[in-house]
Amino acid sequence: MASRVEILNQGGFRSDGRRQYELRDMSIDLSPQGTADGAAVVAHGLTQVMVSVFGPREAKMRSQTIHDRANINVELNIAAFSTGERRKRSRGDKRILEMAATIKSTFEPVVQTNLYPRCQIDIYVQVLQQDGGLLQTCVNATTLALINAGIPLLDFVCAVTGGVHSTSPLLDLTLLEENDIPHVTVAVMPKTAKVTLVTMETRLHVDRFEEIFRLAADAGKVVHAEMKSAVRARTGTLVAAMGAGPRAGAGETEKDGDGRMNEY
Amino acid sequence: MVEITIRKRPRTEAVITQRKFFKKTARGKVIKESNLFSPPIILLQTVIEEVRHRSLPLYNRLNALIKMDEKRIWVFYNEYRSETAIIREEGETPNDRNDRGIRKAAAWYNDHIRVTRPPIRGQAPPKLPTVVLMTEDVANRQKAEKAGISCISVRKYVEGMKEPTQLLDLLAAEGSNEIEPTKAAAGRQAFYPDYIPTSTLLAGVKTGELHQGHFNANQYNYLEGSVSVPALSKPILLIGRENMNRAVHGDVVVVEVFDEKEWKAPADEVVDQDSTLKNDDVEDSGDEGDDEEDQVTRREKQVLLSEEVKRTSEKQPTGRIVGVIKRNWRAYVCHIDSTSLTSSNATSLSQQTVFATPVSRLLPRIRLRTRQAPTLIGQKILVTIDRWDVTSRYPEGHFVRALGKVESKEAEQESLLLEFEVPYRPFGKAILDCLPPQGDTWVVPPKSDTSPEWRDRVDLRDLIICSIDPPNCQDIDDALHARPLPNGNIEAGVHIADVSHFVLPDNPMDSEAASRGTTVYLVDKRIDMLPSLLGTNLCSLRPYVERLAFSTIWEMTPEAEIVNVRFTKSVIASKAAFTYEEAQIRKDDPNLQDELTAGIRLLNTLAQKLKAGRMAAGALNLASPEVKIHLDSAESSDPIDVEQKEMRETNSLVEEFMLLANISVARKIQETFPQTAVLRYFSFTHFQGYRIDDFGSRRHLPPPRTNFEKLQDVLMKRKGLALDVSSSGALAASLDKCIDPNEPAFNTLVRIMGTRCMLSAEYFCSGSVGRDTFGHYGLASPIYTHFTSPIRRYADVLAHRQLAAAIGYTPLHATLHSKSHVERVLDVVNRRHRMAQMAGRASVEFYVGLALKGRNEREKGCVREEAFVIRTFRNGLGVFVSKLGIEGLVMFKREIRFDADNYTIAIPSSTAPDAQDLTISVFDKVMVNIEVEKDKNTQRGRVKMTLVHPVDSSLM
């Protein structure tokens, strides 16, 4: 009875009890995963994605090396158990390839690849749970994993999905909402307020687009604050564990991307 | 910038503003009564969602109540609050979980009120309002009391109000006061019995235990249908959903007849599916099957029960459908029922299940899954039925395409064509390739022995021939002439467009024409059977040009007795094309003495004599309500007004000669081709407008007298008049006697009603039936065919070919030698013909509706017209407005007394108890207000009539 659920009920509540502009609970785990150079597990509500970053390292194949910068390689895998209906998706699935390409093109202008010529940065995205906003979660998790791996970025990349129900805009849609209403995913670089990704697979009225777009970009800044504090906390623990250097909370100068972040 | 937050789990600091009010929760059906509550009410989210889950229409009504300001109903979103949110425990049914949630919320509310109004030192502790849980569920109440929550039942609550008696009546029955059964999913409940396997069906039909026929739905009562079978003189009545067992109008079904003691009379109540099924939920039926006391089933049972009390006189066999031989499902024109929508917001992309209500009242609602429901509201759409499972009350279908906005002319026109299955696509290339290559420059070549056009043709170009047609007629297929002969006799000729010269057998154009069967005339459009180059130009017998014709020429005595008749292909040149009116004026103008006028006068005198002869032989003069629509202008085509068609002398002139030609041709082709001649006959059908599809089996039967029985009965009881239907002559005579001196229109009314009993003329193949049944009942002619309109009727083309072969002009094409082939073609033609008639009528109805609407707007009020009562129902009257040619229903909301035997209803007088009741019976003249009302849900405009004289039904 999925169609029985009201997207936005009379009291202004969404189907999961959120208000229009309320984002889902966001949990970030930056602890190391296996041999990866950097990893992040990010959950927006029930959508959970794990990203492992390897590199920068020497490119395995000569054909993939670029002489003046690093090559970014994104591989996406959706766990069969991640959706309500168990479904195995092959690697060659067009949607998966498309999503991986989207992530790749989102990060190419952000990662300072020119610092690592003839190198390769591997990003493995593993989707663990899906409940809407998959791309947004992937992008946020990739940002954090890259930061965690110590790869210099120009800025954070923070993505949020926005949709519109009739005339009321909604943020951070669940799967149920995504199925029902037109939506657009926007990724912003909060410091420069640049947008690196806008994607929309449904039809959205042009009059509504600007409003949603702005809203999603604003929401990106809120997500940014959350991500930043997670990075900061993680760095703090690391520094404290090393038993040297400044106290926890002041260790953000370790990464140059983060250092600039404080000016913002 | 709006405030964007991230939601943190768990929320602890939530504070919502507190108001002082009582809390009641009500569940399920009790919600209906919530308009009675006057103190503030708190509705829990749990309750609202449960209502929404059970019935959307109910939920929408509840929402309306919540939105009303003065009701002071507040919604508490208990599921979204950490203190009151609960999780379903293991082994707990959803119902129990909801009950627990309600109790928890009620308990929390009491605590909360206490916390928010702490006692202030030095003051008396504030009086705290108590929150009372109101529920009909006894088990829930018991549990609540155990937990220390005060609770009350709705009945108790209402009893405590000031004037309880009125409200108590409105409450649900006491019986439902027991513990609400908590049902586990008991699997799908079957609404219908299964069908018997096909082999058993066929065997049963063969042995005569089962009967096969077409299913006809009743347009007045959706719970009733009938099947006409050859074995029984009366159609088998199917009462109730189970007995109709998923048959849709037009299906070929197999019926099992019940014992004679269960036979019943048809219902006399109007049962509208829109109102009965108003609250039915799209997803409910079949999906859940958990509602034991399913509302719809109950309501329908009530309707059926109320009809139990029946008179015994008119018993009809009853039965049930045990199988379907052939589904005749097609695409139906429907509207989306807006109340069945879950979300009407136009951006919604979600798949929704909605009801599509077909335009035709004969069809059930169709359940439909679509992602574009919001955009389809207010549109006419095409829906096909896919299947109808035993577990589903309604058939399931899918959306085909949208036709356009309701009431836009294009959509209405197309939907009309689709609804009556009129093929309206433009002619294809293969068909157009069959036209003469010269196109519209084609002319009759100069007379010569070598040219194929002139072979065996008589040159009649010098004859003074003219055509008489309705105004703006473009496809002129007949022309006439008459001239005195030297021997004192008169030569009269009917010249018919020689379509068979252009349409050769068995080419693409011929097959297309055969499948179209007939030209369809709508008020503002004509759908041609033949490409317009032929229809309106090369074949059309236009004046001043030479045209090929097929002529029937009689030599008659001045007394209109036929001396001899000859048929010949000819070349004519019409001298004039008159309208009926022009011809009439010309004939009546004594100053005109030219040959043309003389010819018309001669024809007229002959026609009068022919008519007199025909009437004497017992032809029926039946009437059909024909109206004419005045259109504003060609482009906008807004109807301005409606008027009845006028009949002039010249109409009858043309008609008589066409009849004569048809009869003469019928004789000739029947003589020559006794096996395959295309003939036409005219017979009775059922009174109530039942469609007879199974003529193949019924044709050889004499017209069943039962069809007239009802009319006879009404006439006898109401007016003391007898109708003799033993022969057409007797019927004609007795129809003439049906006169009410006070009411000149009465005779016409009876004739119209009589016509409805019989109007079912059909083509047939002479070899398929016995010689003695050829007779055309209405015309009192022993034999009849259609010959005179080959441009617009395919049967005429066949008759032309047969006649051409009969006079040795061409050999008969092989296909016309085959009886089965002719039968097959005629079956199609008959069906198309019937559909075309209905489409034409529906088109007129639509324009009458538009005209009425226009008049309503202009006159700032209702259109008030005289009407005759033609039927009586338990809860209404069927009336006929002769001026507009439309039929309508007057419904009474209040109880009326209905006397089925005497066709009378009695309306209890409201003013004084001892005053005489007002009775209205069939044939009474009443005044009605006519307005076009739009159905809120389906956007279907419909004519609504209310009685204004002798009593105002709107008050009742």
Side-chain angles (χ1 to χ4, degrees):
Chain A
M1 289 252 183
S3 64
R4 274 291 151 103
V5 179
E6 281 174 305
I7 297 302
L8 196 64
N9 72 14
Q10 307 254 315
F13 286 104
R14 288 154 72 172
S15 53
D16 54 359
R18 276 185 294 156
R19 297 282 185 181
Q20 259 178 296
Y21 305 121
E22 215 171 321
L23 307 180
R24 285 179 289 181
D25 178 43
M26 191 177 174
S27 78
I28 298 169
D29 177 9
L30 297 177
S31 46
Q33 307 281 345
T35 59
D37 294 312
V41 180
V42 171
H44 284 276
L46 294 176
T47 305
Q48 195 175 33
V49 170
M50 180 172 84
V51 178
S52 317
V53 172
F54 294 86
R57 57 188 180 186
E58 195 182 341
K60 285 201 179 97
M61 275 186 287
R62 280 201 71 134
S63 61
Q64 283 184 357
T65 54
I66 307 170
H67 75 94
D68 61 343
R69 59 188 168 94
N71 176 34
I72 295 177
N73 172 38
V74 179
E75 274 182 40
L76 183 82
N77 183 33
I78 295 180
F81 52 79
S82 64
T83 47
E85 266 173 67
R86 200 180 172 84
R87 180 170 161 214
K88 182 83 187 144
R89 294 186 105 141
S90 74
R91 247 199 217 157
D93 190 320
K94 282 282 189 297
R95 285 212 34 96
I96 290 180
L97 290 180
E98 189 195 357
M99 195 115 125
T102 314
I103 294 170
K104 184 180 172 183
S105 57
T106 307
F107 281 95
E108 258 172 351
V110 185
V111 178
Q112 298 189 354
T113 46
N114 53 342
L115 296 178
Y116 307 102
R118 304 175 65 81
C119 280
Q120 169 171 316
I121 298 168
D122 288 313
I123 300 170
Y124 296 109
V125 182
Q126 174 72 42
V127 178
L128 303 173
Q129 263 181 208
Q130 289 191 62
D131 184 36
L134 181 59
L135 184 61
Q136 136 196 346
T137 317
C138 290
V139 168
N140 293 341
T142 308
T143 309
L144 289 168
L146 285 170
I147 290 172
N148 203 7
I151 293 170
L153 305 181
L154 292 174
D155 198 351
F156 276 59
V157 182
C158 308
V160 175
T161 307
V164 61
H165 171 72
S166 190
T167 56
S168 1
L170 307 177
L171 282 176
D172 193 9
L173 309 185
T174 60
L175 189 67
L176 198 122
E177 288 163 338
E178 268 186 359
N179 284 340
D180 195 43
I181 62 174
H183 52 94
V184 53
T185 301
V186 179
V188 289
M189 296 197 276
K191 193 186 63 178
T192 49
K194 276 185 184 160
V195 172
T196 54
L197 167 76
V198 182
T199 149
M200 181 161 66
E201 285 169 2
T202 45
R203 289 193 299 175
L204 175 63
H205 196 280
V206 68
D207 293 351
R208 298 262 156 255
F209 180 79
E210 192 186 337
E211 187 187 357
I212 313 258
F213 179 76
R214 280 187 190 287
L215 208 57
D218 287 345
K221 289 173 186 159
V222 176
V223 171
H224 170 243
E226 194 76 4
M227 286 160 75
K228 200 172 77 177
S229 69
V231 170
R232 190 177 288 182
R234 173 71 191 155
T235 315
T237 8
L238 281 179
V239 169
M242 283 158 71
R247 285 196 321 277
E252 61 267 12
T253 43
E254 188 169 293
K255 290 190 183 68
D256 60 352
D258 214 41
R260 265 179 260 164
M261 209 62 58
N262 284 334
E263 297 159 23
Y264 171 65
Chain B
M1 183 179 152
V2 291
E3 192 195 345
I4 301 170
T5 53
I6 298 184
R7 188 186 190 200
K8 302 284 186 188
R9 279 179 309 193
R11 279 176 60 161
T12 46
E13 76 295 344
V15 172
I16 55 168
T17 48
Q18 179 55 50
R19 290 186 188 86
K20 176 173 115 186
F21 44 79
F22 293 92
K23 166 184 182 67
K24 315 261 181 289
T25 73
R27 298 190 22 130
K29 290 172 201 66
V30 183
I31 287 298
K32 271 187 274 188
E33 270 73 50
S34 49
N35 55 345
L36 309 177
F37 305 146
S38 43
I41 294 167
I42 307 171
L43 269 176
L44 290 184
Q45 181 195 11
T46 315
V47 175
I48 294 177
E49 269 170 15
E50 174 79 6
V51 171
R52 184 176 155 89
H53 181 77
R54 287 197 186 195
S55 160
L56 261 184
L58 217 55
Y59 167 76
N60 288 335
R61 272 155 64 183
L62 180 63
N63 253 346
L65 283 178
I66 292 171
K67 276 190 203 140
M68 271 194 275
D69 304 330
E70 70 273 23
K71 289 286 179 193
R72 293 203 287 166
I73 298 179
W74 306 95
V75 179
F76 174 45
Y77 288 90
N78 59 323
E79 307 269 349
Y80 294 155
R81 190 175 174 85
S82 58
E83 288 97 330
T84 52
I86 55 161
I87 295 170
R88 187 171 154 193
E89 283 163 3
E90 206 170 314
E92 194 177 37
T93 64
N95 218 344
D96 289 343
R97 178 215 168 267
N98 287 346
D99 287 350
R100 190 159 60 86
I102 289 169
R103 287 198 302 275
K104 184 161 186 183
W108 175 82
Y109 231 110
N110 269 327
D111 291 346
H112 187 66
I113 291 174
R114 203 172 306 130
V115 170
T116 50
R117 323 181 117 234
I120 300 164
R121 205 183 306 153
Q123 283 179 17
K127 246 177 105 181
L128 293 176
T130 357
V131 170
V132 180
L133 171 69
M134 180 149 81
T135 174
E136 280 292 87
D137 188 342
V138 175
N140 199 5
R141 277 210 299 274
Q142 284 164 355
K143 281 182 193 158
E145 264 155 22
K146 223 176 273 172
I149 306 161
S150 48
C151 52
I152 192 170
S153 77
V154 178
R155 183 164 290 273
K156 271 244 182 64
Y157 173 69
V158 174
E159 275 165 1
M161 286 170 76
K162 272 180 206 148
E163 284 176 33
T165 39
Q166 278 182 317
L167 301 175
L168 279 175
D169 292 348
L170 295 171
L171 275 185
E174 192 94 49
S176 62
N177 224 0
E178 287 144 27
I179 296 173
E180 196 170 310
T182 42
K183 308 135 206 155
R188 291 187 162 198
Q189 169 198 349
F191 282 100
Y192 301 100
D194 276 318
Y195 291 138
I196 296 176
T198 322
S199 52
T200 327
L201 284 182
L202 294 176
V205 172
K206 227 171 206 170
T207 56
E209 278 169 23
L210 302 175
H211 302 275
Q212 182 182 338
H214 281 266
F215 175 73
N216 295 301
N218 184 338
Q219 58 168 331
Y220 294 113
N221 182 346
Y222 76 100
L223 290 175
E224 198 179 286
S226 66
V227 176
S228 303
V229 297
L232 295 160
S233 62
K234 285 183 176 176
I236 302 168
L237 203 61
L238 310 164
I239 302 169
R241 262 182 207 290
E242 288 78 30
N243 291 337
M244 296 190 347
N245 201 356
R246 292 171 279 154
V248 176
H249 185 80
D251 288 350
V252 182
V253 296
V254 175
V255 188
E256 180 189 64
V257 179
F258 291 150
D259 270 353
E260 199 154 340
K261 60 175 183 289
E262 284 183 47
W263 290 13
K264 282 179 186 145
D268 36 30
E269 186 161 17
V270 181
V271 184
D272 193 359
Q273 83 169 332
D274 292 345
S275 55
T276 320
L277 304 181
K278 186 171 64 181
N279 274 345
D280 197 16
D281 204 348
V282 213
E283 306 207 351
D284 194 28
S285 53
D287 258 22
E288 298 285 287
D290 64 348
D291 236 344
E292 269 176 43
E293 30 170 31
D294 187 347
Q295 286 190 37
V296 175
T297 319
R298 242 185 344 177
R299 226 174 304 144
E300 283 179 358
K301 283 213 179 97
Q302 264 171 18
V303 168
L304 287 178
L305 272 177
S306 70
E307 287 170 6
E308 282 300 292
V309 207
K310 282 286 152 61
R311 49 216 153 123
T312 49
S313 55
E314 270 193 36
K315 280 202 167 170
Q316 239 170 285
T318 55
R320 67 187 185 95
I321 290 178
V322 292
V324 174
I325 300 282
K326 186 170 168 269
R327 291 287 195 189
N328 272 329
W329 291 348
R330 57 184 169 91
Y332 300 105
V333 180
C334 300
H335 304 267
I336 296 273
D337 188 346
S338 61
T339 56
S340 64
L341 239 64
T342 2
S343 147
S344 54
N345 114 58
T347 56
S348 175
L349 305 166
S350 65
Q351 188 154 62
Q352 302 191 35
T353 311
V354 293
F355 276 133
T357 315
V359 174
S360 160
R361 303 180 63 87
L362 298 168
L363 301 165
R365 297 203 250 184
I366 301 167
R367 201 139 41 122
L368 185 79
R369 285 180 74 79
T370 173
R371 281 191 179 275
Q372 37 181 340
T375 51
L376 293 182
I377 287 224
Q379 298 220 46
K380 291 210 150 193
I381 60 166
L382 215 53
V383 173
T384 50
I385 300 183
D386 299 323
R387 62 172 186 281
W388 196 342
D389 297 330
V390 284
T391 50
S392 158
R393 182 176 287 121
Y394 304 103
E396 314 230 345
H398 70 265
F399 166 75
V400 179
R401 79 192 157 92
L403 300 175
K405 203 120 192 62
V406 168
E407 297 217 313
S408 72
K409 292 220 177 55
E410 298 71 33
E412 292 291 339
Q413 200 174 64
E414 197 177 356
S415 77
L416 220 136
L417 296 174
L418 286 164
E419 197 51 28
F420 295 101
E421 297 168 71
V422 176
Y424 60 98
R425 308 217 163 276
F427 291 96
K429 185 172 181 307
I431 296 159
L432 297 177
D433 282 347
C434 302
L435 294 171
Q438 300 92 327
D440 54 5
T441 57
W442 182 93
V443 285
V444 179
K447 188 170 180 176
S448 71
D449 292 339
T450 52
S451 93
E453 273 86 1
W454 279 93
R455 180 180 65 88
D456 291 337
R457 273 190 199 270
V458 182
D459 184 359
L460 298 179
R461 284 178 292 180
D462 300 333
L463 283 181
I464 309 293
I465 293 173
C466 67
S467 60
I468 307 177
D469 284 288
N472 300 326
C473 179
Q474 285 177 306
D475 43 356
I476 306 171
D477 30 26
D478 49 73
L480 303 137
H481 87 275
R483 61 175 180 189
L485 291 177
N487 63 2
N489 285 348
I490 300 166
E491 181 194 86
V494 168
H495 312 274
I496 307 297
D498 192 4
V499 172
S500 59
H501 176 85
F502 295 98
V503 184
L504 299 172
D506 236 6
N507 68 15
M509 185 155 68
D510 182 55
S511 337
E512 178 67 19
S515 75
R516 292 194 176 211
T518 174
T519 295
V520 181
Y521 294 88
L522 304 184
V523 172
D524 52 351
K525 193 180 166 85
R526 189 186 68 220
I527 293 95
D528 289 321
M529 178 182 84
L530 294 171
S532 67
L533 175 66
L534 287 186
T536 59
N537 191 351
L538 302 190
C539 286
S540 178
L541 302 178
R542 299 202 288 190
Y544 327 119
V545 287
E546 293 177 6
R547 286 283 178 252
L548 301 181
F550 207 148
S551 304
T552 309
I553 298 164
W554 298 273
E555 186 181 336
M556 286 180 177
T557 63
E559 293 316 303
E561 278 158 32
I562 298 166
V563 179
N564 68 48
V565 56
R566 68 193 166 97
F567 308 99
T568 178
K569 294 247 179 176
S570 60
V571 178
I572 63 160
S574 171
K575 301 291 177 285
F578 295 120
T579 64
Y580 290 120
E581 198 177 358
E582 284 165 6
Q584 184 72 33
I585 291 167
R586 208 174 172 94
K587 182 190 80 68
D588 293 339
D589 188 348
N591 300 326
L592 287 171
Q593 290 302 333
D594 56 301
E595 272 186 284
L596 213 50
T597 317
I600 295 175
R601 288 192 188 127
L602 204 53
L603 283 166
N604 193 44
T605 45
L606 286 174
Q608 278 168 353
K609 283 168 190 158
L610 284 169
K611 184 168 185 180
R614 217 160 47 81
M615 287 301 160
L620 287 177
N621 183 12
L622 295 169
S624 60
E626 281 198 81
V627 290
K628 200 173 136 188
I629 312 278
H630 288 280
L631 294 182
D632 196 1
S633 63
E635 309 93 64
S636 74
S637 67
D638 278 327
I640 290 195
D641 211 349
V642 184
E643 71 171 40
Q644 271 188 290
K645 268 188 194 162
E646 232 179 301
M647 288 298 276
R648 292 194 176 76
E649 231 177 337
T650 40
N651 291 52
S652 143
L653 180 163
V654 175
E655 192 185 327
E656 284 308 318
F657 275 96
M658 293 308 132
L659 290 176
L660 191 63
N662 286 336
I663 293 168
S664 303
V665 170
R667 278 209 190 93
K668 178 79 179 171
I669 58 176
Q670 203 276 326
E671 260 166 42
T672 326
F673 305 106
Q675 280 304 301
T676 58
V678 173
L679 300 179
R680 185 171 171 83
Y681 85 135
F682 195 66
S683 130
F684 292 83
T685 83
H686 283 281
F687 181 55
Q688 292 167 331
Y690 288 121
R691 207 175 85 195
I692 309 272
D693 279 286
D694 43 350
F695 258 98
S697 54
R698 305 194 79 210
R699 185 176 295 136
H700 53 280
L701 296 172
R705 289 188 35 191
T706 49
N707 303 320
F708 259 117
E709 271 173 11
K710 190 155 186 174
L711 179 59
Q712 274 177 307
D713 195 43
V714 180
L715 271 174
M716 182 50 93
K717 282 182 173 145
R718 295 312 319 158
K719 298 278 176 185
L721 295 167
L723 213 54
D724 185 356
V725 295
S726 55
S727 74
S728 61
L731 179 58
S734 52
L735 270 178
D736 286 339
K737 282 192 212 117
C738 290
I739 298 166
D740 186 340
N742 304 324
E743 188 46 72
F746 175 67
N747 186 263
T748 323
L749 181 69
V750 175
R751 281 180 201 280
I752 288 170
M753 288 168 77
T755 315
R756 300 217 167 156
C757 301
M758 13 199 320
L759 252 190
S760 175
E762 302 264 331
Y763 299 103
F764 68 102
C765 173
S766 61
S768 347
V769 300
R771 179 73 179 84
D772 54 330
T773 57
F774 286 0
H776 193 287
Y777 194 86
L779 297 171
S781 161
I783 190 163
Y784 192 68
T785 189
H786 265 170
F787 171 75
T788 50
S789 301
I791 296 178
R792 56 190 178 90
R793 292 189 304 231
Y794 189 71
D796 300 49
V797 178
L798 293 181
H800 271 236
R801 286 187 193 141
Q802 287 180 336
L803 185 64
I807 60 171
Y809 180 79
T810 50
L812 192 60
H813 191 261
T815 53
L816 283 177
H817 280 302
S818 145
K819 198 170 84 181
S820 62
H821 179 264
V822 174
E823 270 177 358
R824 216 168 36 242
V825 171
L826 289 184
D827 268 354
V828 175
V829 173
N830 279 332
R831 208 168 66 83
R832 292 279 185 229
H833 209 81
R834 225 168 20 233
M835 289 300 189
Q837 273 180 340
M838 290 198 268
R841 244 178 266 156
S843 166
V844 169
E845 250 167 55
F846 170 64
Y847 275 96
V848 169
L850 276 191
L852 281 176
K853 210 167 135 194
R855 249 172 80 180
N856 271 342
E857 275 159 20
R858 276 200 305 281
E859 292 169 17
K860 299 272 180 286
C862 283
V863 177
R864 194 167 287 196
E865 289 288 355
E866 270 182 12
F868 286 99
V869 177
I870 53 169
R871 284 189 83 177
T872 48
F873 297 100
R874 184 178 298 284
N875 54 354
L877 293 173
V879 294
F880 176 75
V881 184
S882 55
K883 198 172 163 203
L884 302 171
I886 53 170
E887 222 180 282
L889 272 176
V890 177
M891 303 277 277
F892 297 100
K893 285 191 205 82
R894 223 174 59 184
E895 198 60 34
I896 52 169
R897 278 206 306 283
F898 171 64
D899 184 352
D901 287 329
N902 290 319
Y903 307 98
T904 309
I905 57 160
I907 298 157
S909 137
S910 49
T911 45
D914 55 330
Q916 193 71 32
D917 286 354
L918 185 73
T919 59
I920 301 174
S921 49
V922 171
F923 297 128
D924 280 1
K925 190 151 86 171
V926 293
M927 288 293 279
V928 288
N929 264 346
I930 307 167
E931 53 195 325
V932 180
E933 183 195 57
K934 232 189 213 170
D935 191 308
K936 264 200 285 298
N937 294 333
T938 53
Q939 297 296 309
R940 185 163 69 181
R942 57 172 169 188
V943 174
K944 188 187 162 199
M945 296 198 186
T946 44
L947 214 55
V948 283
H949 181 84
V951 69
D952 196 341
S953 72
S954 62
L955 298 176
M956 312 186 23

